[in-house]
Structures are given as C-alpha cells and as structure tokens.
Amino acid sequence: MKVAMNVYELSSAAGLPCEIDPALVVALSSQKSENISPEEEYKIACLLMVFVAVSMPTLASNVMSQYSPAIEGHCNNIHCLAKAVNQIAAALFTIHKGSIEDRLKEFLALASSSLLKIGQETDKMTTRNRESVYLLLDMIVQESPFLTMDLLESCFPYVLLRNAYHAVYKQSISSSA
C-alpha cells in the first residue's frame, strides 16, 4: 500500500487525476482506533457502504431530492453523493487492503435492489422523487472508475433510467411553463 500511495500522492501533486484521493486516505488512516482490530474496521467499512446503499430509497420521500436539469443536479445536492460514495469507498478499501471494485459492485447491487423496491410502493409521498433518486444511481456509476454501465444494467433495468430522465425533464418543462 505504501508504494501505491506514493504513486497516488505523486500523481495528485502533479495534477493528474487519481482513482484514489491520497489526502482522504491519509485523513481516514489517522482516524484508526487502537481498540479495534483491522478485521473489525474492515467490517465497519463494509457496513458503512451497506448502510448508504439501503438508505438511498429514503431520499425519494424528500421534496428537495428533485433533480433539476437546469442545474444538472438535485435541489438538496444529493448528486454530491455520487462522488462521495466513490471517493470514500476507494479510500476505505485502500486502507483496509480490500478490493475497491468488488465492494462497489456489492454497493451497486444493494442500492439497485433497494431502489427497485420503491418502484413497488403506492404511497405518493414515499416515492415523490423516485425518478430523481434513480438518476443518482446512474451518477454514481458515471463518476466511478471502478463501475461500468454494463454492470449497472445487469442489476438495474436501463429502461427505468431512461424513463427517469424523461420524467424529470418533462417535469421541469411543465413546472417552468
């Protein structure tokens, strides 16, 4: 990890894009607890990713989670989660010597499954911004150097994403008219 981190630090210092943020790795490494074993810390990192994935559907009930094509983001800035999920996963699993790609694949499968479940909800308040949250899933994949659209399509139907883009653009036109 030390050699890899030196490469990332040099690349970052030279202004080159990096898959892993060396400053974030250093910051998170300094937060390690002496009372917890590395195995337990790894489990906690995995559980953090699970928590984020299964919590995504709750964003759909928030009125501010609406996607705005005019600003190419969500009104409550949840689009920032796309970068955060990728950067934090990369840093955590660099520290714990886990496979970043495998953990993000698991995250994507869990998030997809959770979001597909809100497609079956009938309560309008719970699902008011469902399509906008579907777009967040797409943004996470677009932002990731570790995930691909093929992988997303294997666990989340592309037709739902296409319909979600159509719905949010249609809604933005009707609300501005």
Side-chain angles (χ1 to χ4, degrees):
M1 182 176 111
K2 192 72 170 163
V3 173
M5 280 310 300
N6 288 338
V7 171
Y8 290 125
E9 287 171 343
L10 287 172
S11 297
S12 182
L16 300 173
C18 295
E19 293 177 345
I20 301 166
D21 182 350
L24 184 57
V25 171
V26 169
L28 291 175
S29 293
S30 69
Q31 299 297 314
K32 282 186 156 186
S33 174
E34 294 177 14
N35 300 335
I36 301 174
S37 71
E39 294 81 21
E40 288 297 313
E41 283 192 355
Y42 179 76
K43 287 178 188 175
I44 292 169
C46 291
L47 288 172
L48 173 65
M49 298 304 294
V50 168
F51 174 76
V52 172
V54 299
S55 297
M56 286 181 64
T58 62
L59 298 170
S61 64
N62 186 329
V63 70
M64 295 302 291
S65 291
Q66 184 175 5
Y67 181 83
S68 170
I71 61 171
E72 295 182 1
H74 296 81
C75 297
N76 60 356
N77 292 329
I78 62 171
H79 55 273
C80 296
L81 285 173
K83 188 166 202 73
V85 163
N86 284 294
Q87 291 294 320
I88 291 172
L92 283 174
F93 297 113
T94 296
I95 293 167
H96 298 295
K97 298 171 185 66
S99 170
I100 301 165
E101 187 175 341
D102 288 347
R103 298 302 72 80
L104 281 172
K105 284 179 181 177
E106 289 172 354
F107 170 85
L108 188 61
L110 283 168
S112 297
S113 175
S114 297
L115 290 175
L116 288 171
K117 287 180 184 172
I118 66 168
Q120 299 169 345
E121 287 284 332
T122 55
D123 179 25
K124 295 280 190 209
M125 297 305 283
T126 304
T127 62
R128 82 174 71 177
N129 285 312
R130 173 182 55 211
E131 289 80 11
S132 293
V133 178
Y134 286 172
L135 300 186
L136 176 60
L137 192 62
D138 185 39
M139 291 174 186
I140 290 170
V141 173
Q142 288 179 22
E143 184 73 37
S144 179
F146 306 101
L147 299 172
T148 64
M149 283 305 293
D150 289 344
L151 185 61
L152 176 60
E153 290 177 32
S154 72
C155 54
F156 194 84
Y158 184 75
V159 69
L160 289 178
L161 284 176
R162 188 182 68 229
N163 291 345
Y165 276 106
H166 179 73
V168 297
Y169 279 88
K170 185 177 172 183
Q171 184 178 17
S172 74
I173 291 170
S174 66
S175 66
S176 65

